[in-house]
Amino acid sequence: MKVLFVSAEVAPYSKTGGLGDVASALPGALERMGHELTVVSPMYRRVSDGAHRLHDVYPEIPIPAIGARFDAILADDGRNWFVDYPPYFGREGIYRNDGDEHSRFLLLTHAALELCRRRGWSPDIVHVNDWHTGFMPLFLRSIYGSDPLFARAQSVFTIHNLGYQGVFGSHIVDDLALGSSRYLLHQEHLRAGRVSFMEHALIYSDAITTVSPTYAYEIQTPEHGFGLDAMLRHRSRDVFGILNGIDPEVWNPSSDPYLPSPYSASELEGKHANKAALLARARIDPDQGFLTVGIVTRLSAQKGIEIALRPLARRLDAGHIRLVVLGSGERRYEEAFGWLAAAFPGRAHFQNGYDESMAHLIEGGADVFLMPSLYEPSGLNQMYSLAYGTPPIVRRTGGLADSVTHYDPARGEGTGFVFDHYSEGGVGWALDQALTLFQNKAQWQILQRNGMAEDNSWERRALEYDRIYRRVTGEEQP
Ligand code: ADP
Ligand code: GLC
């Protein structure tokens, strides 16, 4: 099938979190299955400034609906196209919350379809991701609805995070350029003064997927539905949960260029040298005897920082653990981790920022990886941790529940430490479980190897997407 895949970020060109990883790895896996992929994302400043070989294939493609022109730039990989429109994407960063944030991603949505037109390329599937591209399914039924090029196209919308919905005031309605199709907008909410990108994707896409089976269930409940649970329940027959996977080209301890000492399940000793390198880089005292807890994360309320701070501080104070944190985001969390690092020099370290090499070194060098999320659609870092023999400590929610099982020493089964209650007590309990097991080297290695043996490859997950593509195109009966 011909698949048009549109995303606000695509690694390694642009990335703030897991969406970038998925938009790179999933299309790759689908391509290996024989599908033909066109991936479209914006030409942010960091893409043009990066060390990528890019080709300006189609200059000045017009977008009649909004009266703009963009250049379509192709990467050397032959799959990734970039929408070059400097007035919108030539700014610093990826997401900006400027007054025209909605227009930036509407332009991306139009441009993806205009690129198809320019190439005479007729997609079977238009697969879009998160609120940024949420108007695609409606555009396919309105502005582009009479173009034979898109007559076959079925839309698939993937929810990576229901917490960000792209809700704007009704003043943006003209920027949607829907003309006589304006009646297709959610009229009640329009009258109430708001337009939601996510909501229109849920109404008009042919299939809705999200990034784990548990999250697919959770978002249909009031607790995790962010106000859209009723709408999702209404479409429950078209809602599917497919866990994310990991790209072994990028996240593989035996070939990771960021690790000073590569290792595998059969030679776990290699991990010690990485731990030594991590402790040195974090200016933590070099004694390897302490359980070193790693965290790599966007610092947002979703990630459960609140419930982790005090349990970590107590165990740092008692001298039981070491802590290395890499992250950026909300000020309050940056300050809290900054405070922890200052309070426990030589035991705790906080690097504020985004750093690919440090993210890999933490996965390779820490003993456990902490992810106490309030909610987690899929989560990738816990899967990277499993692959790196760095057992994850997670809360049982979303994709964390689907990818990590609590270790049972009696049976030697399980891959990490899983707690249920969103509380400091939950985190403390799980940390203590890890501390106790860490004393037993034989048990610890069983735990590490169990995780490393898990198959979270994208190959398997791409098969599930393939099934959904065939379902919406009518190739396969539900
Ligand atoms: P989310 O998408 O909610 O942020 P995921 O676990 O799915 O969570 O993916 C996070 C991705 O972003 C991982 O690849 C992780 O390594 C990366 N990441 C997050 N924060 C940083 C950071 N500060 N520096 C480097 N990589 C980061
Ligand atoms: C979102 C979610 C995360 C998921 C990622 C990629 O950012 O927070 O859980 O892994 O998208 O799907």
Side-chain angles (χ1 to χ4, degrees), residues 377-437:
S378 166
L380 290 166
N381 275 116
Q382 83 281 11
M383 291 191 251
Y384 302 155
S385 303
L386 292 170
Y388 278 63
T390 308
I393 300 179
V394 303
R395 191 169 90 84
R396 196 188 312 280
T397 182
L400 300 175
D402 293 335
S403 55
V404 185
T405 52
H406 190 70
Y407 186 69
D408 174 355
R411 293 164 174 264
E413 288 171 5
T415 55
F417 304 93
V418 185
F419 65 97
D420 285 279
H421 296 288
Y422 187 74
S423 65
E424 293 177 346
V427 176
W429 174 84
L431 280 171
D432 290 341
Q433 295 277 310
L435 271 165
T436 306
L437 199 77

Short mmCIF file of all heavy atoms in Angstrom, two decimals, residues 377-437:
data_model
loop_
_atom_site.label_atom_id
_atom_site.label_comp_id
_atom_site.label_asym_id
_atom_site.label_seq_id
_atom_site.Cartn_x
_atom_site.Cartn_y
_atom_site.Cartn_z
N PRO A 377 0.75 6.88 27.73
CA PRO A 377 0.12 6.23 26.57
C PRO A 377 0.88 4.96 26.13
O PRO A 377 0.28 3.90 25.97
CB PRO A 377 0.16 7.32 25.51
CG PRO A 377 0.07 8.60 26.32
CD PRO A 377 0.86 8.34 27.56
N SER A 378 2.17 5.08 25.91
CA SER A 378 2.98 3.89 25.67
C SER A 378 4.22 3.96 26.55
O SER A 378 4.43 3.15 27.43
CB SER A 378 3.41 3.79 24.19
OG SER A 378 4.43 2.82 24.06
N GLY A 379 5.04 4.98 26.29
CA GLY A 379 6.33 5.05 26.94
C GLY A 379 7.32 4.24 26.13
O GLY A 379 7.02 3.13 25.65
N LEU A 380 8.48 4.79 25.91
CA LEU A 380 9.53 4.08 25.19
C LEU A 380 10.69 3.79 26.12
O LEU A 380 11.33 2.73 26.02
CB LEU A 380 10.01 4.93 24.01
CG LEU A 380 8.98 5.06 22.89
CD1 LEU A 380 9.36 6.17 21.93
CD2 LEU A 380 8.85 3.73 22.15
N ASN A 381 10.97 4.72 27.04
CA ASN A 381 12.16 4.54 27.86
C ASN A 381 12.14 3.26 28.69
O ASN A 381 13.19 2.65 28.91
CB ASN A 381 12.38 5.76 28.76
CG ASN A 381 13.13 6.84 28.03
OD1 ASN A 381 12.63 7.93 27.80
ND2 ASN A 381 14.36 6.53 27.63
N GLN A 382 10.95 2.83 29.13
CA GLN A 382 10.93 1.57 29.90
C GLN A 382 11.30 0.39 28.99
O GLN A 382 11.91 -0.57 29.46
CB GLN A 382 9.57 1.37 30.57
CG GLN A 382 8.47 0.77 29.71
CD GLN A 382 7.82 1.79 28.78
OE1 GLN A 382 8.31 2.91 28.61
NE2 GLN A 382 6.72 1.41 28.16
N MET A 383 10.99 0.50 27.69
CA MET A 383 11.35 -0.59 26.78
C MET A 383 12.84 -0.53 26.45
O MET A 383 13.51 -1.56 26.33
CB MET A 383 10.49 -0.53 25.52
CG MET A 383 9.04 -0.88 25.81
SD MET A 383 8.11 -1.13 24.30
CE MET A 383 7.08 0.33 24.31
N TYR A 384 13.37 0.70 26.30
CA TYR A 384 14.81 0.83 26.11
C TYR A 384 15.52 0.23 27.33
O TYR A 384 16.52 -0.48 27.20
CB TYR A 384 15.23 2.30 25.95
CG TYR A 384 14.57 3.03 24.80
CD1 TYR A 384 14.42 4.41 24.83
CD2 TYR A 384 14.10 2.35 23.68
CE1 TYR A 384 13.82 5.10 23.78
CE2 TYR A 384 13.50 3.03 22.64
CZ TYR A 384 13.36 4.40 22.69
OH TYR A 384 12.75 5.08 21.66
N SER A 385 15.00 0.53 28.52
CA SER A 385 15.60 0.04 29.75
C SER A 385 15.63 -1.48 29.79
O SER A 385 16.63 -2.09 30.17
CB SER A 385 14.85 0.56 30.97
OG SER A 385 14.80 1.97 30.95
N LEU A 386 14.52 -2.09 29.39
CA LEU A 386 14.49 -3.56 29.36
C LEU A 386 15.60 -4.08 28.45
O LEU A 386 16.35 -4.98 28.81
CB LEU A 386 13.13 -4.05 28.84
CG LEU A 386 11.91 -3.81 29.74
CD1 LEU A 386 10.62 -4.13 28.99
CD2 LEU A 386 12.00 -4.66 31.01
N ALA A 387 15.71 -3.48 27.29
CA ALA A 387 16.71 -3.94 26.32
C ALA A 387 18.14 -3.72 26.83
O ALA A 387 19.06 -4.43 26.42
CB ALA A 387 16.52 -3.21 24.99
N TYR A 388 18.31 -2.74 27.73
CA TYR A 388 19.65 -2.40 28.22
C TYR A 388 19.97 -3.07 29.55
O TYR A 388 20.96 -2.74 30.20
CB TYR A 388 19.78 -0.87 28.35
CG TYR A 388 20.11 -0.20 27.03
CD1 TYR A 388 19.24 -0.24 25.96
CD2 TYR A 388 21.32 0.48 26.85
CE1 TYR A 388 19.54 0.36 24.75
CE2 TYR A 388 21.63 1.09 25.64
CZ TYR A 388 20.73 1.02 24.59
OH TYR A 388 21.04 1.62 23.39
N GLY A 389 19.12 -4.02 29.99
CA GLY A 389 19.39 -4.69 31.26
C GLY A 389 19.33 -3.73 32.43
O GLY A 389 20.03 -3.92 33.43
N THR A 390 18.50 -2.70 32.31
CA THR A 390 18.34 -1.69 33.35
C THR A 390 16.89 -1.75 33.79
O THR A 390 16.04 -1.03 33.26
CB THR A 390 18.67 -0.29 32.76
OG1 THR A 390 19.96 -0.35 32.14
CG2 THR A 390 18.69 0.78 33.83
N PRO A 391 16.57 -2.66 34.73
CA PRO A 391 15.16 -2.93 35.02
C PRO A 391 14.38 -1.66 35.35
O PRO A 391 14.84 -0.83 36.13
CB PRO A 391 15.23 -3.85 36.25
CG PRO A 391 16.57 -4.51 36.14
CD PRO A 391 17.47 -3.49 35.53
N PRO A 392 13.21 -1.51 34.72
CA PRO A 392 12.41 -0.32 34.97
C PRO A 392 11.56 -0.43 36.24
O PRO A 392 11.06 -1.51 36.56
CB PRO A 392 11.52 -0.23 33.73
CG PRO A 392 11.53 -1.56 33.10
CD PRO A 392 12.70 -2.34 33.61
N ILE A 393 11.43 0.69 36.92
CA ILE A 393 10.48 0.82 38.03
C ILE A 393 9.34 1.66 37.49
O ILE A 393 9.55 2.83 37.12
CB ILE A 393 11.11 1.53 39.24
CG1 ILE A 393 12.32 0.75 39.75
CG2 ILE A 393 10.08 1.74 40.34
CD1 ILE A 393 13.03 1.41 40.94
N VAL A 394 8.15 1.11 37.38
CA VAL A 394 7.06 1.82 36.70
C VAL A 394 5.77 1.73 37.51
O VAL A 394 5.57 0.82 38.31
CB VAL A 394 6.78 1.25 35.30
CG1 VAL A 394 8.03 1.28 34.44
CG2 VAL A 394 6.23 -0.17 35.36
N ARG A 395 4.87 2.68 37.22
CA ARG A 395 3.53 2.56 37.75
C ARG A 395 2.68 1.77 36.75
O ARG A 395 2.88 1.90 35.54
CB ARG A 395 2.90 3.93 37.98
CG ARG A 395 1.61 3.82 38.78
CD ARG A 395 1.14 5.17 39.24
NE ARG A 395 0.25 5.78 38.28
CZ ARG A 395 -1.05 5.55 38.20
NH1 ARG A 395 -1.64 4.71 39.02
NH2 ARG A 395 -1.78 6.18 37.30
N ARG A 396 1.75 0.99 37.27
CA ARG A 396 0.92 0.17 36.39
C ARG A 396 -0.13 1.05 35.71
O ARG A 396 -1.25 1.22 36.18
CB ARG A 396 0.22 -0.94 37.20
CG ARG A 396 -0.35 -2.07 36.33
CD ARG A 396 -1.19 -3.06 37.12
NE ARG A 396 -0.56 -3.53 38.33
CZ ARG A 396 0.37 -4.49 38.39
NH1 ARG A 396 0.77 -5.08 37.31
NH2 ARG A 396 0.89 -4.84 39.55
N THR A 397 0.25 1.63 34.58
CA THR A 397 -0.68 2.46 33.81
C THR A 397 -0.29 2.43 32.34
O THR A 397 0.89 2.28 32.02
CB THR A 397 -0.68 3.93 34.34
OG1 THR A 397 -1.64 4.70 33.61
CG2 THR A 397 0.68 4.60 34.16
N GLY A 398 -1.27 2.53 31.46
CA GLY A 398 -1.02 2.63 30.02
C GLY A 398 -0.02 1.60 29.51
O GLY A 398 -0.06 0.42 29.87
N GLY A 399 0.90 2.08 28.70
CA GLY A 399 1.88 1.20 28.08
C GLY A 399 2.88 0.62 29.07
O GLY A 399 3.53 -0.39 28.79
N LEU A 400 3.01 1.27 30.23
CA LEU A 400 3.91 0.71 31.26
C LEU A 400 3.33 -0.62 31.75
O LEU A 400 4.06 -1.60 31.93
CB LEU A 400 4.07 1.70 32.42
CG LEU A 400 4.64 3.08 32.07
CD1 LEU A 400 4.65 4.00 33.28
CD2 LEU A 400 6.06 2.94 31.51
N ALA A 401 2.01 -0.63 31.93
CA ALA A 401 1.35 -1.87 32.38
C ALA A 401 1.48 -2.97 31.34
O ALA A 401 1.54 -4.15 31.67
CB ALA A 401 -0.13 -1.59 32.66
N ASP A 402 1.54 -2.57 30.06
CA ASP A 402 1.60 -3.57 28.99
C ASP A 402 3.00 -4.06 28.68
O ASP A 402 3.17 -5.01 27.91
CB ASP A 402 1.00 -2.98 27.70
CG ASP A 402 -0.50 -2.73 27.82
OD1 ASP A 402 -1.14 -3.41 28.65
OD2 ASP A 402 -1.02 -1.86 27.10
N SER A 403 4.02 -3.41 29.23
CA SER A 403 5.38 -3.79 28.83
C SER A 403 6.27 -4.25 29.97
O SER A 403 7.35 -4.80 29.73
CB SER A 403 6.06 -2.61 28.09
OG SER A 403 6.03 -1.46 28.89
N VAL A 404 5.86 -4.03 31.22
CA VAL A 404 6.71 -4.42 32.35
C VAL A 404 5.90 -5.29 33.31
O VAL A 404 4.75 -4.97 33.62
CB VAL A 404 7.22 -3.17 33.13
CG1 VAL A 404 8.20 -3.59 34.22
CG2 VAL A 404 7.88 -2.17 32.18
N THR A 405 6.48 -6.40 33.77
CA THR A 405 5.82 -7.24 34.77
C THR A 405 6.67 -7.26 36.03
O THR A 405 7.91 -7.21 35.97
CB THR A 405 5.62 -8.68 34.26
OG1 THR A 405 6.88 -9.17 33.78
CG2 THR A 405 4.61 -8.73 33.14
N HIS A 406 6.00 -7.30 37.17
CA HIS A 406 6.71 -7.24 38.46
C HIS A 406 7.49 -8.53 38.68
O HIS A 406 6.99 -9.63 38.47
CB HIS A 406 5.71 -7.01 39.59
CG HIS A 406 6.40 -6.70 40.88
ND1 HIS A 406 7.05 -5.51 41.11
CD2 HIS A 406 6.56 -7.45 42.02
CE1 HIS A 406 7.56 -5.53 42.33
NE2 HIS A 406 7.29 -6.69 42.90
N TYR A 407 8.72 -8.38 39.14
CA TYR A 407 9.59 -9.54 39.31
C TYR A 407 9.17 -10.38 40.52
O TYR A 407 8.92 -9.85 41.60
CB TYR A 407 11.05 -9.08 39.49
CG TYR A 407 12.02 -10.25 39.53
CD1 TYR A 407 12.26 -11.00 38.38
CD2 TYR A 407 12.66 -10.60 40.71
CE1 TYR A 407 13.13 -12.08 38.40
CE2 TYR A 407 13.54 -11.68 40.75
CZ TYR A 407 13.77 -12.41 39.58
OH TYR A 407 14.63 -13.48 39.61
N ASP A 408 9.12 -11.68 40.30
CA ASP A 408 8.79 -12.63 41.36
C ASP A 408 10.02 -13.50 41.61
O ASP A 408 10.34 -14.38 40.81
CB ASP A 408 7.59 -13.49 40.89
CG ASP A 408 7.27 -14.59 41.89
OD1 ASP A 408 8.02 -14.75 42.88
OD2 ASP A 408 6.27 -15.30 41.66
N PRO A 409 10.74 -13.26 42.72
CA PRO A 409 11.99 -13.97 42.96
C PRO A 409 11.78 -15.49 43.10
O PRO A 409 12.65 -16.26 42.72
CB PRO A 409 12.51 -13.39 44.29
CG PRO A 409 11.68 -12.19 44.57
CD PRO A 409 10.42 -12.30 43.79
N ALA A 410 10.63 -15.90 43.61
CA ALA A 410 10.39 -17.33 43.81
C ALA A 410 10.38 -18.07 42.48
O ALA A 410 10.90 -19.18 42.35
CB ALA A 410 9.06 -17.54 44.53
N ARG A 411 9.81 -17.44 41.47
CA ARG A 411 9.74 -18.09 40.15
C ARG A 411 10.81 -17.61 39.18
O ARG A 411 10.97 -18.17 38.10
CB ARG A 411 8.38 -17.79 39.51
CG ARG A 411 7.20 -18.41 40.21
CD ARG A 411 5.93 -17.71 39.72
NE ARG A 411 4.75 -18.36 40.24
CZ ARG A 411 4.05 -19.26 39.56
NH1 ARG A 411 4.41 -19.61 38.35
NH2 ARG A 411 2.98 -19.81 40.08
N GLY A 412 11.47 -16.53 39.55
CA GLY A 412 12.46 -15.97 38.63
C GLY A 412 11.81 -15.37 37.40
O GLY A 412 12.40 -15.29 36.32
N GLU A 413 10.55 -14.92 37.55
CA GLU A 413 9.83 -14.36 36.41
C GLU A 413 9.54 -12.88 36.64
O GLU A 413 9.32 -12.46 37.77
CB GLU A 413 8.50 -15.10 36.21
CG GLU A 413 8.67 -16.50 35.67
CD GLU A 413 7.37 -17.30 35.69
OE1 GLU A 413 6.33 -16.73 36.05
OE2 GLU A 413 7.45 -18.51 35.37
N GLY A 414 9.48 -12.14 35.56
CA GLY A 414 9.18 -10.71 35.65
C GLY A 414 10.34 -9.90 35.14
O GLY A 414 11.47 -10.40 35.01
N THR A 415 10.05 -8.63 34.81
CA THR A 415 11.07 -7.83 34.13
C THR A 415 11.39 -6.51 34.82
O THR A 415 12.24 -5.76 34.36
CB THR A 415 10.61 -7.51 32.68
OG1 THR A 415 9.33 -6.87 32.75
CG2 THR A 415 10.51 -8.77 31.84
N GLY A 416 10.67 -6.18 35.91
CA GLY A 416 10.93 -4.91 36.57
C GLY A 416 10.18 -4.81 37.87
O GLY A 416 9.84 -5.83 38.48
N PHE A 417 9.92 -3.58 38.29
CA PHE A 417 9.21 -3.34 39.54
C PHE A 417 7.99 -2.49 39.22
O PHE A 417 8.12 -1.41 38.64
CB PHE A 417 10.13 -2.64 40.54
CG PHE A 417 11.41 -3.42 40.77
CD1 PHE A 417 12.55 -3.16 40.02
CD2 PHE A 417 11.45 -4.46 41.70
CE1 PHE A 417 13.71 -3.90 40.19
CE2 PHE A 417 12.60 -5.20 41.89
CZ PHE A 417 13.74 -4.92 41.13
N VAL A 418 6.83 -3.02 39.59
CA VAL A 418 5.58 -2.37 39.19
C VAL A 418 4.76 -2.03 40.42
O VAL A 418 4.49 -2.92 41.23
CB VAL A 418 4.76 -3.30 38.26
CG1 VAL A 418 3.52 -2.57 37.75
CG2 VAL A 418 5.61 -3.79 37.09
N PHE A 419 4.40 -0.76 40.56
CA PHE A 419 3.51 -0.40 41.67
C PHE A 419 2.21 0.16 41.14
O PHE A 419 2.14 0.63 40.00
CB PHE A 419 4.20 0.59 42.64
CG PHE A 419 4.52 1.93 42.04
CD1 PHE A 419 3.66 3.02 42.24
CD2 PHE A 419 5.67 2.13 41.30
CE1 PHE A 419 3.94 4.27 41.70
CE2 PHE A 419 5.96 3.38 40.75
CZ PHE A 419 5.10 4.44 40.95
N ASP A 420 1.17 0.07 41.98
CA ASP A 420 -0.17 0.43 41.52
C ASP A 420 -0.59 1.84 41.88
O ASP A 420 -1.16 2.54 41.06
CB ASP A 420 -1.21 -0.54 42.11
CG ASP A 420 -1.15 -1.88 41.41
OD1 ASP A 420 -1.74 -1.99 40.32
OD2 ASP A 420 -0.48 -2.80 41.92
N HIS A 421 -0.34 2.22 43.12
CA HIS A 421 -0.95 3.46 43.61
C HIS A 421 -0.10 4.67 43.26
O HIS A 421 1.11 4.67 43.47
CB HIS A 421 -1.18 3.38 45.11
CG HIS A 421 -2.17 2.32 45.44
ND1 HIS A 421 -3.51 2.47 45.18
CD2 HIS A 421 -2.01 1.09 45.95
CE1 HIS A 421 -4.14 1.36 45.53
NE2 HIS A 421 -3.26 0.51 46.01
N TYR A 422 -0.76 5.67 42.73
CA TYR A 422 -0.06 6.91 42.39
C TYR A 422 0.19 7.66 43.69
O TYR A 422 -0.60 8.53 44.10
CB TYR A 422 -0.89 7.74 41.42
CG TYR A 422 -0.12 8.95 40.93
CD1 TYR A 422 0.89 8.81 40.00
CD2 TYR A 422 -0.39 10.23 41.40
CE1 TYR A 422 1.62 9.90 39.56
CE2 TYR A 422 0.33 11.33 40.97
CZ TYR A 422 1.34 11.16 40.06
OH TYR A 422 2.07 12.23 39.63
N SER A 423 1.28 7.32 44.36
CA SER A 423 1.57 7.93 45.66
C SER A 423 3.06 7.81 45.95
O SER A 423 3.76 6.98 45.36
CB SER A 423 0.79 7.22 46.76
OG SER A 423 1.25 5.87 46.87
N GLU A 424 3.52 8.62 46.89
CA GLU A 424 4.92 8.51 47.32
C GLU A 424 5.17 7.12 47.90
O GLU A 424 6.24 6.54 47.73
CB GLU A 424 5.22 9.59 48.35
CG GLU A 424 5.19 10.98 47.74
CD GLU A 424 5.42 12.09 48.76
OE1 GLU A 424 5.36 11.82 49.98
OE2 GLU A 424 5.67 13.24 48.32
N GLY A 425 4.15 6.60 48.58
CA GLY A 425 4.28 5.26 49.14
C GLY A 425 4.52 4.22 48.05
O GLY A 425 5.31 3.28 48.24
N GLY A 426 3.86 4.40 46.92
CA GLY A 426 4.04 3.46 45.81
C GLY A 426 5.47 3.48 45.30
O GLY A 426 6.11 2.42 45.12
N VAL A 427 6.00 4.67 45.08
CA VAL A 427 7.37 4.79 44.58
C VAL A 427 8.36 4.24 45.61
O VAL A 427 9.28 3.49 45.28
CB VAL A 427 7.73 6.26 44.25
CG1 VAL A 427 9.18 6.37 43.83
CG2 VAL A 427 6.83 6.80 43.16
N GLY A 428 8.12 4.60 46.88
CA GLY A 428 9.03 4.15 47.94
C GLY A 428 9.06 2.63 48.04
O GLY A 428 10.12 2.01 48.13
N TRP A 429 7.89 2.03 47.97
CA TRP A 429 7.79 0.57 48.03
C TRP A 429 8.58 -0.07 46.88
O TRP A 429 9.38 -0.99 47.08
CB TRP A 429 6.32 0.15 47.95
CG TRP A 429 6.12 -1.33 47.86
CD1 TRP A 429 6.09 -2.21 48.91
CD2 TRP A 429 5.93 -2.11 46.67
NE1 TRP A 429 5.90 -3.49 48.44
CE2 TRP A 429 5.80 -3.45 47.07
CE3 TRP A 429 5.86 -1.80 45.31
CZ2 TRP A 429 5.61 -4.49 46.15
CZ3 TRP A 429 5.67 -2.83 44.39
CH2 TRP A 429 5.54 -4.16 44.82
N ALA A 430 8.38 0.46 45.68
CA ALA A 430 9.06 -0.14 44.51
C ALA A 430 10.57 0.07 44.60
O ALA A 430 11.35 -0.84 44.26
CB ALA A 430 8.50 0.48 43.23
N LEU A 431 11.00 1.25 45.07
CA LEU A 431 12.45 1.49 45.23
C LEU A 431 13.03 0.49 46.23
O LEU A 431 14.13 -0.06 46.01
CB LEU A 431 12.71 2.92 45.71
CG LEU A 431 12.67 4.03 44.65
CD1 LEU A 431 12.72 5.40 45.32
CD2 LEU A 431 13.83 3.89 43.65
N ASP A 432 12.30 0.23 47.31
CA ASP A 432 12.82 -0.70 48.32
C ASP A 432 12.86 -2.14 47.80
O ASP A 432 13.77 -2.90 48.12
CB ASP A 432 11.99 -0.61 49.60
CG ASP A 432 12.24 0.71 50.31
OD1 ASP A 432 13.29 1.35 50.03
OD2 ASP A 432 11.40 1.14 51.13
N GLN A 433 11.88 -2.49 46.99
CA GLN A 433 11.92 -3.82 46.34
C GLN A 433 13.19 -3.94 45.50
O GLN A 433 13.87 -4.96 45.53
CB GLN A 433 10.71 -3.99 45.42
CG GLN A 433 9.38 -4.01 46.12
CD GLN A 433 9.07 -5.37 46.66
OE1 GLN A 433 9.16 -6.37 45.94
NE2 GLN A 433 8.73 -5.44 47.94
N ALA A 434 13.48 -2.89 44.75
CA ALA A 434 14.67 -2.92 43.90
C ALA A 434 15.93 -2.97 44.76
O ALA A 434 16.85 -3.74 44.47
CB ALA A 434 14.68 -1.69 42.99
N LEU A 435 15.96 -2.17 45.83
CA LEU A 435 17.14 -2.15 46.71
C LEU A 435 17.41 -3.53 47.29
O LEU A 435 18.56 -3.99 47.35
CB LEU A 435 16.91 -1.14 47.85
CG LEU A 435 17.36 0.29 47.55
CD1 LEU A 435 16.77 1.26 48.57
CD2 LEU A 435 18.89 0.39 47.54
N THR A 436 16.37 -4.20 47.72
CA THR A 436 16.53 -5.54 48.32
C THR A 436 17.05 -6.52 47.28
O THR A 436 18.02 -7.24 47.52
CB THR A 436 15.17 -6.03 48.87
OG1 THR A 436 14.67 -5.03 49.75
CG2 THR A 436 15.34 -7.35 49.62
N LEU A 437 16.41 -6.54 46.13
CA LEU A 437 16.82 -7.52 45.11
C LEU A 437 18.23 -7.25 44.60
O LEU A 437 18.98 -8.17 44.25
CB LEU A 437 15.83 -7.53 43.94
CG LEU A 437 15.92 -8.80 43.10
CD1 LEU A 437 15.23 -9.96 43.81
CD2 LEU A 437 15.32 -8.61 41.72
#
